[in-house]
Structure formats: structure tokens, C-alpha cells
Amino acid sequence: MPSLRDGREQARSVHRRHPQDQSLTRGLALDLGSSRTRAWVPGQGVVADTEADPVGDYGHGGRPVRRGRIVDAESCGRMLGRIADRALGADRSDTVIVLSHPVLAGSGHRAAARDILTTLGPSRVIVLDSARAAAAAAGPQGGGPLLVVDIGAELTEATLLVDGRVRDARLAETGTSDLEPGEPPTAVVRAVLDMVMEMWRQDRHGALLGALRKGPLLAGGGALRPDITHRIALRLGAPVRLTDDPATAVVRGAGLILSSVLRHPSAAPALPGRSG
């Protein structure tokens, strides 16, 4: 099971700055998921929430992203290009695009995402992990460690944030699309429990215990299923908290970070637990 070990803080966000940064006026936030692609525009909110290439003419089952990895960069670029055309128009010289990625996305996925976004022609590109985006959407957490559990269609991730940084992260290639209609969500719940227990064994500072006392923050489409959320709370023996509209939490959080960048283009993007 892929993981980020305790104490090895993650710093994978990419920020490209250009002289035009001072004139940034428009932007687009993207959540490129395995089953759905969502887009957010300042002042408009979520402007796209559609199946990823449902026509199925690009191979890979019609999806350019599988299990959190870009498997067809050309198709993915065309899809995001169409979204950018509708949201920003053809001239994107004064724009910034923010894209979220799985916390444990490999270097190949991150490099492909950066290359695709660059070809869209924005003035600035920001790539950040989905856990911090979901935390941003949930709003202030009152300080202390935070456990974010993102239950998607083909991936489930558990991420421990401390002071806005990724302290530990686990990923399971299991999601709601793996469940047959009417099948109990045993596999998804078990994946969450296994990841949390692995974190527990690696937690030398008590951060996970503090996060569990506060209650895990649940995001992703799977958080809309009471049979999943109830079982997770029961098995962990801890209350769970849902982000507002869990399915769109990541793109809305990315949108909040985008708005901060547009207000203060010369500053680093505001991430959860970090100032400006």
C-alpha cells in the first residue's frame, strides 16, 4: 500500500511565476478525478462536474485518468482544453490554473499534469494535493492535526496534516466504483481502517491520536454514502465530520486557494495551516 512515512514532509506543490503575475485577473481550479472532472471559476463556483470522457473513444475505458494516474496525456489535454476554452476563453495570458492531484501521485502523473497545464497557456500554474484542498474547503479547523479521508471512485486516501503540511499519507486503489450494486462497502471501509492502523503504528508524536479525537474529515463521493461513513465512525470509535458537499470539496478548496492567489498574485498560495 503506497504511503508517505511519518516525519517525511511532502512538498510537491509547483508554482510557476512570470512577470505577468501582477496582472492576473482570471483563473480556473480543476479536480481531475478517475471518474469525474470538476472545474471551478471565481464568482461562478463549480462550472463543470462531468464524467471523464464518457464517450469512450480514447481507450482505457474512455477515461484518461485511472486509479489517480494520467494514462492518456493527449486525451486528458484535449478534455482540459475544452474546459479551459469554455471557462476562460481562447486568450489565457492573464490567467492562473490550479489543479489538485492525489497526495501520493507519482512523479509521472505530476509531470504529465504540469506539462498539460502549461500547454493550455496560463500565466501561472499551481499544483497541490487533494488533502490540503479538501481541508481548505472545510474551513478553519481550530488548530492541531487533521486526518483527511478522501473516498473516491477508484482511490481512497488517508492523509495526516500537521500545521498544514502532510505528515503521513496512505493510498488504497479501492473506491466506490469497485462495489457492486447493493454490495456492502466492506472493502472500502477495510481500506480506510488498514491505512489508519498503519499510520498509528508509525505515529511517534501522537498527532494521529489528536486527529482522531477531533474526528476525521471525510471528503469525496464516498462520503455521501451513510453506510460508509457510519461504518468508519463505528470501527474507528471516533466521530466523523463531512465537508460541505463532499463530492466537490477538493475542487472548491482548490478554488479558494485560487481566489487567494488572484487577490495577492505576488504571494505564495495560502494553504491550510499556513499564513498567506
Side-chain angles (χ1 to χ4, degrees), residues 2-10 103-104 146-148 158-162 165-170 195-196 198-203 208:
S3 67
L4 178 70
R5 293 291 296 275
D6 180 31
R8 294 169 59 185
E9 293 181 347
Q10 185 191 54
V103 179
L104 294 175
L146 176 67
L147 178 63
V148 179
T159 306
L160 179 63
L161 299 176
V162 178
R165 296 180 179 272
V166 177
R167 172 69 64 82
D168 196 359
R170 310 283 161 156
M195 290 188 290
V196 173
E198 287 184 5
M199 286 183 170
W200 184 279
R201 287 191 285 267
Q202 298 294 333
D203 183 23
L208 181 63

PDB file of all heavy atoms in Angstrom, residues 2-10 103-104 146-148 158-162 165-170 195-196 198-203 208:
ATOM      1  N   PRO A   2       0.825   2.098  -0.994  1.00  0.00           N
ATOM      2  CA  PRO A   2       1.682   3.286  -1.039  1.00  0.00           C
ATOM      3  C   PRO A   2       1.493   4.150   0.195  1.00  0.00           C
ATOM      4  O   PRO A   2       0.391   4.280   0.719  1.00  0.00           O
ATOM      5  CB  PRO A   2       1.207   4.008  -2.307  1.00  0.00           C
ATOM      6  CG  PRO A   2       0.595   2.942  -3.139  1.00  0.00           C
ATOM      7  CD  PRO A   2      -0.038   1.994  -2.171  1.00  0.00           C
ATOM      8  N   SER A   3       2.574   4.748   0.663  1.00  0.00           N
ATOM      9  CA  SER A   3       2.480   5.567   1.858  1.00  0.00           C
ATOM     10  C   SER A   3       3.565   6.626   1.856  1.00  0.00           C
ATOM     11  O   SER A   3       4.546   6.547   1.128  1.00  0.00           O
ATOM     12  CB  SER A   3       2.618   4.696   3.118  1.00  0.00           C
ATOM     13  OG  SER A   3       3.922   4.161   3.199  1.00  0.00           O
ATOM     14  N   LEU A   4       3.354   7.623   2.716  1.00  0.00           N
ATOM     15  CA  LEU A   4       4.376   8.630   2.999  1.00  0.00           C
ATOM     16  C   LEU A   4       4.673   8.493   4.473  1.00  0.00           C
ATOM     17  O   LEU A   4       3.795   8.694   5.305  1.00  0.00           O
ATOM     18  CB  LEU A   4       3.862  10.029   2.683  1.00  0.00           C
ATOM     19  CG  LEU A   4       4.805  11.186   2.972  1.00  0.00           C
ATOM     20  CD1 LEU A   4       5.959  11.163   1.989  1.00  0.00           C
ATOM     21  CD2 LEU A   4       4.068  12.500   2.889  1.00  0.00           C
ATOM     22  N   ARG A   5       5.886   8.096   4.822  1.00  0.00           N
ATOM     23  CA  ARG A   5       6.190   7.779   6.208  1.00  0.00           C
ATOM     24  C   ARG A   5       6.168   9.011   7.085  1.00  0.00           C
ATOM     25  O   ARG A   5       6.448  10.126   6.682  1.00  0.00           O
ATOM     26  CB  ARG A   5       7.574   7.121   6.289  1.00  0.00           C
ATOM     27  CG  ARG A   5       7.626   5.759   5.641  1.00  0.00           C
ATOM     28  CD  ARG A   5       6.823   4.741   6.425  1.00  0.00           C
ATOM     29  NE  ARG A   5       7.391   4.542   7.745  1.00  0.00           N
ATOM     30  CZ  ARG A   5       8.390   3.699   8.013  1.00  0.00           C
ATOM     31  NH1 ARG A   5       8.943   2.995   7.039  1.00  0.00           N
ATOM     32  NH2 ARG A   5       8.846   3.564   9.245  1.00  0.00           N
ATOM     33  N   ASP A   6       5.851   8.773   8.374  1.00  0.00           N
ATOM     34  CA  ASP A   6       5.798   9.822   9.387  1.00  0.00           C
ATOM     35  C   ASP A   6       7.101  10.603   9.415  1.00  0.00           C
ATOM     36  O   ASP A   6       8.185  10.026   9.410  1.00  0.00           O
ATOM     37  CB  ASP A   6       5.564   9.169  10.758  1.00  0.00           C
ATOM     38  CG  ASP A   6       5.502  10.179  11.878  1.00  0.00           C
ATOM     39  OD1 ASP A   6       5.069  11.302  11.626  1.00  0.00           O
ATOM     40  OD2 ASP A   6       5.880   9.825  13.002  1.00  0.00           O
ATOM     41  N   GLY A   7       6.963  11.938   9.450  1.00  0.00           N
ATOM     42  CA  GLY A   7       8.128  12.798   9.580  1.00  0.00           C
ATOM     43  C   GLY A   7       8.737  13.220   8.268  1.00  0.00           C
ATOM     44  O   GLY A   7       9.558  14.117   8.232  1.00  0.00           O
ATOM     45  N   ARG A   8       8.361  12.569   7.182  1.00  0.00           N
ATOM     46  CA  ARG A   8       8.909  12.963   5.880  1.00  0.00           C
ATOM     47  C   ARG A   8       7.887  13.861   5.203  1.00  0.00           C
ATOM     48  O   ARG A   8       7.008  13.423   4.496  1.00  0.00           O
ATOM     49  CB  ARG A   8       9.187  11.721   5.045  1.00  0.00           C
ATOM     50  CG  ARG A   8      10.290  10.863   5.616  1.00  0.00           C
ATOM     51  CD  ARG A   8      10.365   9.529   4.929  1.00  0.00           C
ATOM     52  NE  ARG A   8      10.599   9.682   3.490  1.00  0.00           N
ATOM     53  CZ  ARG A   8      10.605   8.656   2.657  1.00  0.00           C
ATOM     54  NH1 ARG A   8      10.372   7.432   3.090  1.00  0.00           N
ATOM     55  NH2 ARG A   8      10.824   8.850   1.376  1.00  0.00           N
ATOM     56  N   GLU A   9       8.011  15.145   5.462  1.00  0.00           N
ATOM     57  CA  GLU A   9       7.002  16.089   4.999  1.00  0.00           C
ATOM     58  C   GLU A   9       7.034  16.190   3.485  1.00  0.00           C
ATOM     59  O   GLU A   9       8.076  16.148   2.853  1.00  0.00           O
ATOM     60  CB  GLU A   9       7.237  17.461   5.622  1.00  0.00           C
ATOM     61  CG  GLU A   9       7.000  17.451   7.123  1.00  0.00           C
ATOM     62  CD  GLU A   9       7.206  18.796   7.735  1.00  0.00           C
ATOM     63  OE1 GLU A   9       7.764  19.668   7.027  1.00  0.00           O
ATOM     64  OE2 GLU A   9       6.828  18.999   8.884  1.00  0.00           O
ATOM     65  N   GLN A  10       5.835  16.333   2.934  1.00  0.00           N
ATOM     66  CA  GLN A  10       5.706  16.378   1.482  1.00  0.00           C
ATOM     67  C   GLN A  10       5.723  17.820   1.005  1.00  0.00           C
ATOM     68  O   GLN A  10       5.108  18.691   1.603  1.00  0.00           O
ATOM     69  CB  GLN A  10       4.393  15.711   1.083  1.00  0.00           C
ATOM     70  CG  GLN A  10       4.212  15.592  -0.405  1.00  0.00           C
ATOM     71  CD  GLN A  10       2.810  15.177  -0.722  1.00  0.00           C
ATOM     72  OE1 GLN A  10       1.879  15.814  -0.283  1.00  0.00           O
ATOM     73  NE2 GLN A  10       2.663  14.143  -1.510  1.00  0.00           N
ATOM     74  N   VAL A 103      -2.628  12.801  -3.110  1.00  0.00           N
ATOM     75  CA  VAL A 103      -1.494  13.126  -2.245  1.00  0.00           C
ATOM     76  C   VAL A 103      -0.263  12.320  -2.637  1.00  0.00           C
ATOM     77  O   VAL A 103       0.855  12.845  -2.651  1.00  0.00           O
ATOM     78  CB  VAL A 103      -1.864  12.859  -0.772  1.00  0.00           C
ATOM     79  CG1 VAL A 103      -0.693  13.174   0.142  1.00  0.00           C
ATOM     80  CG2 VAL A 103      -3.078  13.693  -0.377  1.00  0.00           C
ATOM     81  N   LEU A 104      -0.453  11.056  -2.957  1.00  0.00           N
ATOM     82  CA  LEU A 104       0.668  10.189  -3.296  1.00  0.00           C
ATOM     83  C   LEU A 104       0.799   9.979  -4.799  1.00  0.00           C
ATOM     84  O   LEU A 104       1.283   8.937  -5.246  1.00  0.00           O
ATOM     85  CB  LEU A 104       0.538   8.848  -2.572  1.00  0.00           C
ATOM     86  CG  LEU A 104       0.668   8.948  -1.047  1.00  0.00           C
ATOM     87  CD1 LEU A 104       0.415   7.596  -0.398  1.00  0.00           C
ATOM     88  CD2 LEU A 104       2.034   9.477  -0.647  1.00  0.00           C
ATOM     89  N   LEU A 146      -4.920  17.125  11.656  1.00  0.00           N
ATOM     90  CA  LEU A 146      -6.172  16.847  10.961  1.00  0.00           C
ATOM     91  C   LEU A 146      -5.987  15.603  10.104  1.00  0.00           C
ATOM     92  O   LEU A 146      -5.023  15.501   9.346  1.00  0.00           O
ATOM     93  CB  LEU A 146      -6.564  18.039  10.083  1.00  0.00           C
ATOM     94  CG  LEU A 146      -7.817  17.868   9.213  1.00  0.00           C
ATOM     95  CD1 LEU A 146      -9.067  17.772  10.090  1.00  0.00           C
ATOM     96  CD2 LEU A 146      -7.955  19.044   8.247  1.00  0.00           C
ATOM     97  N   LEU A 147      -6.917  14.663  10.227  1.00  0.00           N
ATOM     98  CA  LEU A 147      -6.922  13.473   9.386  1.00  0.00           C
ATOM     99  C   LEU A 147      -7.979  13.653   8.306  1.00  0.00           C
ATOM    100  O   LEU A 147      -9.160  13.807   8.606  1.00  0.00           O
ATOM    101  CB  LEU A 147      -7.232  12.225  10.215  1.00  0.00           C
ATOM    102  CG  LEU A 147      -7.320  10.905   9.439  1.00  0.00           C
ATOM    103  CD1 LEU A 147      -5.977  10.564   8.784  1.00  0.00           C
ATOM    104  CD2 LEU A 147      -7.777   9.770  10.358  1.00  0.00           C
ATOM    105  N   VAL A 148      -7.547  13.659   7.051  1.00  0.00           N
ATOM    106  CA  VAL A 148      -8.457  13.803   5.917  1.00  0.00           C
ATOM    107  C   VAL A 148      -8.568  12.450   5.221  1.00  0.00           C
ATOM    108  O   VAL A 148      -7.556  11.863   4.836  1.00  0.00           O
ATOM    109  CB  VAL A 148      -7.943  14.859   4.918  1.00  0.00           C
ATOM    110  CG1 VAL A 148      -8.913  14.979   3.730  1.00  0.00           C
ATOM    111  CG2 VAL A 148      -7.776  16.211   5.602  1.00  0.00           C
ATOM    112  N   ALA A 158      -5.931   8.413   2.915  1.00  0.00           N
ATOM    113  CA  ALA A 158      -5.952   8.926   4.280  1.00  0.00           C
ATOM    114  C   ALA A 158      -4.695   9.762   4.462  1.00  0.00           C
ATOM    115  O   ALA A 158      -3.580   9.277   4.205  1.00  0.00           O
ATOM    116  CB  ALA A 158      -5.992   7.798   5.293  1.00  0.00           C
ATOM    117  N   THR A 159      -4.858  11.016   4.887  1.00  0.00           N
ATOM    118  CA  THR A 159      -3.736  11.942   4.990  1.00  0.00           C
ATOM    119  C   THR A 159      -3.753  12.628   6.341  1.00  0.00           C
ATOM    120  O   THR A 159      -4.784  13.164   6.762  1.00  0.00           O
ATOM    121  CB  THR A 159      -3.807  13.008   3.883  1.00  0.00           C
ATOM    122  OG1 THR A 159      -3.916  12.372   2.606  1.00  0.00           O
ATOM    123  CG2 THR A 159      -2.575  13.893   3.898  1.00  0.00           C
ATOM    124  N   LEU A 160      -2.631  12.608   7.024  1.00  0.00           N
ATOM    125  CA  LEU A 160      -2.487  13.298   8.297  1.00  0.00           C
ATOM    126  C   LEU A 160      -1.790  14.624   8.050  1.00  0.00           C
ATOM    127  O   LEU A 160      -0.645  14.660   7.591  1.00  0.00           O
ATOM    128  CB  LEU A 160      -1.674  12.444   9.272  1.00  0.00           C
ATOM    129  CG  LEU A 160      -1.423  13.047  10.653  1.00  0.00           C
ATOM    130  CD1 LEU A 160      -2.739  13.262  11.399  1.00  0.00           C
ATOM    131  CD2 LEU A 160      -0.476  12.153  11.462  1.00  0.00           C
ATOM    132  N   LEU A 161      -2.496  15.714   8.320  1.00  0.00           N
ATOM    133  CA  LEU A 161      -1.946  17.059   8.175  1.00  0.00           C
ATOM    134  C   LEU A 161      -1.582  17.613   9.542  1.00  0.00           C
ATOM    135  O   LEU A 161      -2.371  17.522  10.486  1.00  0.00           O
ATOM    136  CB  LEU A 161      -2.960  17.994   7.510  1.00  0.00           C
ATOM    137  CG  LEU A 161      -3.427  17.644   6.094  1.00  0.00           C
ATOM    138  CD1 LEU A 161      -4.510  18.621   5.647  1.00  0.00           C
ATOM    139  CD2 LEU A 161      -2.253  17.664   5.115  1.00  0.00           C
ATOM    140  N   VAL A 162      -0.401  18.177   9.632  1.00  0.00           N
ATOM    141  CA  VAL A 162       0.042  18.844  10.852  1.00  0.00           C
ATOM    142  C   VAL A 162       0.560  20.212  10.462  1.00  0.00           C
ATOM    143  O   VAL A 162       1.508  20.317   9.665  1.00  0.00           O
ATOM    144  CB  VAL A 162       1.140  18.036  11.580  1.00  0.00           C
ATOM    145  CG1 VAL A 162       1.608  18.788  12.816  1.00  0.00           C
ATOM    146  CG2 VAL A 162       0.624  16.655  11.964  1.00  0.00           C
ATOM    147  N   ARG A 165       0.873  20.810   6.748  1.00  0.00           N
ATOM    148  CA  ARG A 165       1.800  20.006   5.967  1.00  0.00           C
ATOM    149  C   ARG A 165       1.441  18.529   6.082  1.00  0.00           C
ATOM    150  O   ARG A 165       0.921  18.074   7.093  1.00  0.00           O
ATOM    151  CB  ARG A 165       3.240  20.229   6.444  1.00  0.00           C
ATOM    152  CG  ARG A 165       3.739  21.648   6.233  1.00  0.00           C
ATOM    153  CD  ARG A 165       5.163  21.783   6.723  1.00  0.00           C
ATOM    154  NE  ARG A 165       5.683  23.137   6.522  1.00  0.00           N
ATOM    155  CZ  ARG A 165       6.285  23.546   5.425  1.00  0.00           C
ATOM    156  NH1 ARG A 165       6.432  22.703   4.412  1.00  0.00           N
ATOM    157  NH2 ARG A 165       6.738  24.765   5.306  1.00  0.00           N
ATOM    158  N   VAL A 166       1.764  17.783   5.043  1.00  0.00           N
ATOM    159  CA  VAL A 166       1.479  16.354   5.035  1.00  0.00           C
ATOM    160  C   VAL A 166       2.510  15.649   5.904  1.00  0.00           C
ATOM    161  O   VAL A 166       3.693  15.585   5.554  1.00  0.00           O
ATOM    162  CB  VAL A 166       1.503  15.796   3.602  1.00  0.00           C
ATOM    163  CG1 VAL A 166       1.273  14.286   3.620  1.00  0.00           C
ATOM    164  CG2 VAL A 166       0.432  16.472   2.741  1.00  0.00           C
ATOM    165  N   ARG A 167       2.072  15.125   7.040  1.00  0.00           N
ATOM    166  CA  ARG A 167       2.955  14.374   7.924  1.00  0.00           C
ATOM    167  C   ARG A 167       3.014  12.905   7.508  1.00  0.00           C
ATOM    168  O   ARG A 167       4.048  12.262   7.552  1.00  0.00           O
ATOM    169  CB  ARG A 167       2.474  14.506   9.376  1.00  0.00           C
ATOM    170  CG  ARG A 167       3.201  13.620  10.381  1.00  0.00           C
ATOM    171  CD  ARG A 167       4.635  14.036  10.597  1.00  0.00           C
ATOM    172  NE  ARG A 167       4.726  15.374  11.179  1.00  0.00           N
ATOM    173  CZ  ARG A 167       4.587  15.631  12.484  1.00  0.00           C
ATOM    174  NH1 ARG A 167       4.352  14.646  13.334  1.00  0.00           N
ATOM    175  NH2 ARG A 167       4.690  16.866  12.924  1.00  0.00           N
ATOM    176  N   ASP A 168       1.869  12.350   7.124  1.00  0.00           N
ATOM    177  CA  ASP A 168       1.812  10.956   6.696  1.00  0.00           C
ATOM    178  C   ASP A 168       0.637  10.819   5.742  1.00  0.00           C
ATOM    179  O   ASP A 168      -0.349  11.561   5.839  1.00  0.00           O
ATOM    180  CB  ASP A 168       1.642  10.030   7.903  1.00  0.00           C
ATOM    181  CG  ASP A 168       1.962   8.575   7.588  1.00  0.00           C
ATOM    182  OD1 ASP A 168       2.299   8.275   6.420  1.00  0.00           O
ATOM    183  OD2 ASP A 168       1.873   7.731   8.507  1.00  0.00           O
ATOM    184  N   ALA A 169       0.750   9.907   4.806  1.00  0.00           N
ATOM    185  CA  ALA A 169      -0.333   9.687   3.843  1.00  0.00           C
ATOM    186  C   ALA A 169      -0.317   8.244   3.381  1.00  0.00           C
ATOM    187  O   ALA A 169       0.750   7.633   3.241  1.00  0.00           O
ATOM    188  CB  ALA A 169      -0.195  10.628   2.643  1.00  0.00           C
ATOM    189  N   ARG A 170      -1.499   7.701   3.157  1.00  0.00           N
ATOM    190  CA  ARG A 170      -1.664   6.331   2.681  1.00  0.00           C
ATOM    191  C   ARG A 170      -2.685   6.324   1.553  1.00  0.00           C
ATOM    192  O   ARG A 170      -3.599   7.141   1.508  1.00  0.00           O
ATOM    193  CB  ARG A 170      -2.143   5.413   3.805  1.00  0.00           C
ATOM    194  CG  ARG A 170      -1.341   5.514   5.083  1.00  0.00           C
ATOM    195  CD  ARG A 170      -0.035   4.787   4.992  1.00  0.00           C
ATOM    196  NE  ARG A 170       0.919   5.246   6.007  1.00  0.00           N
ATOM    197  CZ  ARG A 170       1.925   4.527   6.460  1.00  0.00           C
ATOM    198  NH1 ARG A 170       2.118   3.306   5.995  1.00  0.00           N
ATOM    199  NH2 ARG A 170       2.749   5.027   7.359  1.00  0.00           N
ATOM    200  N   MET A 195      -5.377   1.691   6.541  1.00  0.00           N
ATOM    201  CA  MET A 195      -4.497   2.849   6.393  1.00  0.00           C
ATOM    202  C   MET A 195      -4.320   3.587   7.716  1.00  0.00           C
ATOM    203  O   MET A 195      -3.206   4.006   8.066  1.00  0.00           O
ATOM    204  CB  MET A 195      -5.044   3.786   5.310  1.00  0.00           C
ATOM    205  CG  MET A 195      -4.926   3.220   3.908  1.00  0.00           C
ATOM    206  SD  MET A 195      -5.364   4.402   2.598  1.00  0.00           S
ATOM    207  CE  MET A 195      -7.140   4.538   2.825  1.00  0.00           C
ATOM    208  N   VAL A 196      -5.416   3.758   8.453  1.00  0.00           N
ATOM    209  CA  VAL A 196      -5.331   4.447   9.744  1.00  0.00           C
ATOM    210  C   VAL A 196      -4.472   3.645  10.719  1.00  0.00           C
ATOM    211  O   VAL A 196      -3.653   4.207  11.468  1.00  0.00           O
ATOM    212  CB  VAL A 196      -6.735   4.700  10.314  1.00  0.00           C
ATOM    213  CG1 VAL A 196      -6.644   5.251  11.740  1.00  0.00           C
ATOM    214  CG2 VAL A 196      -7.506   5.679   9.434  1.00  0.00           C
ATOM    215  N   GLU A 198      -2.020   1.603   9.973  1.00  0.00           N
ATOM    216  CA  GLU A 198      -0.628   1.754   9.566  1.00  0.00           C
ATOM    217  C   GLU A 198      -0.069   3.090  10.051  1.00  0.00           C
ATOM    218  O   GLU A 198       1.081   3.184  10.505  1.00  0.00           O
ATOM    219  CB  GLU A 198      -0.507   1.640   8.054  1.00  0.00           C
ATOM    220  CG  GLU A 198      -0.670   0.230   7.516  1.00  0.00           C
ATOM    221  CD  GLU A 198      -0.454   0.164   6.019  1.00  0.00           C
ATOM    222  OE1 GLU A 198      -0.096   1.195   5.428  1.00  0.00           O
ATOM    223  OE2 GLU A 198      -0.646  -0.914   5.454  1.00  0.00           O
ATOM    224  N   MET A 199      -0.880   4.137   9.928  1.00  0.00           N
ATOM    225  CA  MET A 199      -0.453   5.444  10.432  1.00  0.00           C
ATOM    226  C   MET A 199      -0.210   5.384  11.936  1.00  0.00           C
ATOM    227  O   MET A 199       0.759   5.957  12.446  1.00  0.00           O
ATOM    228  CB  MET A 199      -1.521   6.495  10.126  1.00  0.00           C
ATOM    229  CG  MET A 199      -1.603   6.928   8.686  1.00  0.00           C
ATOM    230  SD  MET A 199      -2.859   8.223   8.514  1.00  0.00           S
ATOM    231  CE  MET A 199      -2.550   8.757   6.846  1.00  0.00           C
ATOM    232  N   TRP A 200      -1.107   4.693  12.630  1.00  0.00           N
ATOM    233  CA  TRP A 200      -0.996   4.588  14.090  1.00  0.00           C
ATOM    234  C   TRP A 200       0.334   3.957  14.476  1.00  0.00           C
ATOM    235  O   TRP A 200       1.006   4.421  15.401  1.00  0.00           O
ATOM    236  CB  TRP A 200      -2.159   3.744  14.614  1.00  0.00           C
ATOM    237  CG  TRP A 200      -2.212   3.639  16.104  1.00  0.00           C
ATOM    238  CD1 TRP A 200      -1.480   2.801  16.904  1.00  0.00           C
ATOM    239  CD2 TRP A 200      -3.040   4.401  16.975  1.00  0.00           C
ATOM    240  NE1 TRP A 200      -1.804   2.995  18.224  1.00  0.00           N
ATOM    241  CE2 TRP A 200      -2.759   3.972  18.291  1.00  0.00           C
ATOM    242  CE3 TRP A 200      -3.990   5.405  16.764  1.00  0.00           C
ATOM    243  CZ2 TRP A 200      -3.398   4.504  19.405  1.00  0.00           C
ATOM    244  CZ3 TRP A 200      -4.643   5.928  17.876  1.00  0.00           C
ATOM    245  CH2 TRP A 200      -4.338   5.493  19.176  1.00  0.00           C
ATOM    246  N   ARG A 201       0.732   2.911  13.771  1.00  0.00           N
ATOM    247  CA  ARG A 201       1.977   2.226  14.100  1.00  0.00           C
ATOM    248  C   ARG A 201       3.200   3.096  13.830  1.00  0.00           C
ATOM    249  O   ARG A 201       4.249   2.921  14.464  1.00  0.00           O
ATOM    250  CB  ARG A 201       2.070   0.924  13.300  1.00  0.00           C
ATOM    251  CG  ARG A 201       1.131  -0.163  13.802  1.00  0.00           C
ATOM    252  CD  ARG A 201       1.444  -1.491  13.153  1.00  0.00           C
ATOM    253  NE  ARG A 201       0.983  -1.535  11.765  1.00  0.00           N
ATOM    254  CZ  ARG A 201      -0.206  -1.996  11.393  1.00  0.00           C
ATOM    255  NH1 ARG A 201      -1.071  -2.440  12.307  1.00  0.00           N
ATOM    256  NH2 ARG A 201      -0.554  -2.014  10.120  1.00  0.00           N
ATOM    257  N   GLN A 202       3.073   4.053  12.914  1.00  0.00           N
ATOM    258  CA  GLN A 202       4.193   4.925  12.563  1.00  0.00           C
ATOM    259  C   GLN A 202       4.179   6.259  13.302  1.00  0.00           C
ATOM    260  O   GLN A 202       5.133   7.029  13.203  1.00  0.00           O
ATOM    261  CB  GLN A 202       4.190   5.198  11.051  1.00  0.00           C
ATOM    262  CG  GLN A 202       4.374   3.968  10.191  1.00  0.00           C
ATOM    263  CD  GLN A 202       5.737   3.341  10.355  1.00  0.00           C
ATOM    264  OE1 GLN A 202       6.708   4.020  10.686  1.00  0.00           O
ATOM    265  NE2 GLN A 202       5.820   2.044  10.127  1.00  0.00           N
ATOM    266  N   ASP A 203       3.104   6.535  14.046  1.00  0.00           N
ATOM    267  CA  ASP A 203       2.935   7.845  14.674  1.00  0.00           C
ATOM    268  C   ASP A 203       3.724   7.904  15.982  1.00  0.00           C
ATOM    269  O   ASP A 203       3.322   7.325  16.985  1.00  0.00           O
ATOM    270  CB  ASP A 203       1.442   8.099  14.929  1.00  0.00           C
ATOM    271  CG  ASP A 203       1.179   9.473  15.511  1.00  0.00           C
ATOM    272  OD1 ASP A 203       2.030  10.367  15.324  1.00  0.00           O
ATOM    273  OD2 ASP A 203       0.118   9.664  16.142  1.00  0.00           O
ATOM    274  N   LEU A 208      -1.716  11.541  15.265  1.00  0.00           N
ATOM    275  CA  LEU A 208      -2.899  10.830  14.781  1.00  0.00           C
ATOM    276  C   LEU A 208      -3.952  10.711  15.873  1.00  0.00           C
ATOM    277  O   LEU A 208      -5.152  10.868  15.604  1.00  0.00           O
ATOM    278  CB  LEU A 208      -2.509   9.445  14.273  1.00  0.00           C
ATOM    279  CG  LEU A 208      -3.672   8.615  13.715  1.00  0.00           C
ATOM    280  CD1 LEU A 208      -4.284   9.297  12.497  1.00  0.00           C
ATOM    281  CD2 LEU A 208      -3.235   7.208  13.368  1.00  0.00           C
TER     282      LEU A 208
END
